[in-house]
Each structure stands twice: as structure tokens, then as C-alpha cells.
Amino acid sequence: MAAKEFTWSGFVVRLIFALFLVFATYNPSGYSYFHWVERTLPSFDPLMAITGVCLLIGWVIFLRATLRSLGPLGVILTSALFGAILWLVVDKGWIAPDSFTAISYIVLVLLSTILATGMSWSHIRRRMTGQFDVDEVEED
């Protein structure tokens, strides 16, 4: 099996990395880069800068891959689908509409899923249609 083929385990790995990136950047628990910087401002040390740059690199990698594979319309449609799922969860009463923490966690997981889908979409599309993205074709 070539390394470029889509597998569910590959998607799960991408999802784990996306969850780590999203939750390390911000989460409602108070243990995130956002909260770390917020608590220590106005001081800012080199470790915070290095951590921030590493997170920024992760975001750029995930966002570029997502935008390139899904395209702007795909990102909008995926976001709309996940937004409708969130709406359904609230509408069915599974979570309270005023529960900021629960909704925040759901939104962060959905954002991570969008990023992981974006990172995997070229592989999924190739498997479904047999079509390659132009930047993926290897010359022999």
C-alpha cells in the first residue's frame, strides 16, 4: 500500500493532530495558549513566542491544506453541514443553548474535524473518483 492512499487510521491520526492544535490554541478549560498568554500579559517570554510560532505553523499547514483540497466553497459547505449538526444537537435538547462550555467543546471538535477532513480530502476524492490533484502527480 502506498503512503498516499487514504486509510481510516490516517484520518484518525490527522484528526488527533487537528484536535491537539485546536485545543492547544484555545479551549474553555482555561489550559490553552490563549489563556497562558492572557494570564501573563503584559509580560511575554521567549518560550511563549516559540510556542506561538509552532502553533501558527500548525495552523498554516492545516488551513492551507484544507483550503487547497476543499476550496473555499467546500469549506463553506463543510462548515454549513457541521453548523447544522450543532443546530440539531441544540434543537433536540441534547445540550442547552446557553451552555457556553458544551457548545464551545462541540465547535472545537467540529473545527478539528473540518481541518482533518481538509487534510484528507485529496486522498478521499482520489479514492472515490480516481482523479488526482494536479500538484500530486508524480513524474516518472
Side-chain angles (χ1 to χ4, degrees), residues 18-33:
L19 286 164
F20 175 79
L21 177 66
V22 169
F23 279 83
T25 303
Y26 174 82
N27 65 72
S29 73
Y31 296 101
S32 68
Y33 181 74

Side-chain angles (χ1 to χ4, degrees), residues 61-102:
I61 290 168
F62 269 92
L63 289 174
R64 282 194 54 168
T66 299
L67 284 172
R68 288 182 73 162
S69 65
L70 293 177
L73 181 60
V75 171
I76 291 168
L77 290 173
T78 307
S79 300
L81 173 65
F82 288 146
I85 290 169
L86 177 59
W87 181 14
L88 175 69
V89 168
V90 171
D91 189 58
K92 291 293 183 182
W94 297 333
I95 62 166
D98 59 349
S99 176
F100 174 79
T101 302

Side-chain angles (χ1 to χ4, degrees), residues 11 13-23 25 55 58-67 69-70 75 78-79 82 107-122:
F11 178 78
V13 168
R14 290 178 185 98
L15 179 59
I16 290 169
F17 278 109
L19 286 164
F20 175 79
L21 177 66
V22 169
F23 279 83
T25 303
L55 287 171
W59 277 102
V60 168
I61 290 168
F62 269 92
L63 289 174
R64 282 194 54 168
T66 299
L67 284 172
S69 65
L70 293 177
V75 171
T78 307
S79 300
F82 288 146
V107 167
L108 293 172
V109 168
L110 292 176
L111 175 60
S112 300
T113 306
I114 291 170
L115 294 174
T117 302
M119 290 287 283
S120 303
W121 189 248
S122 291

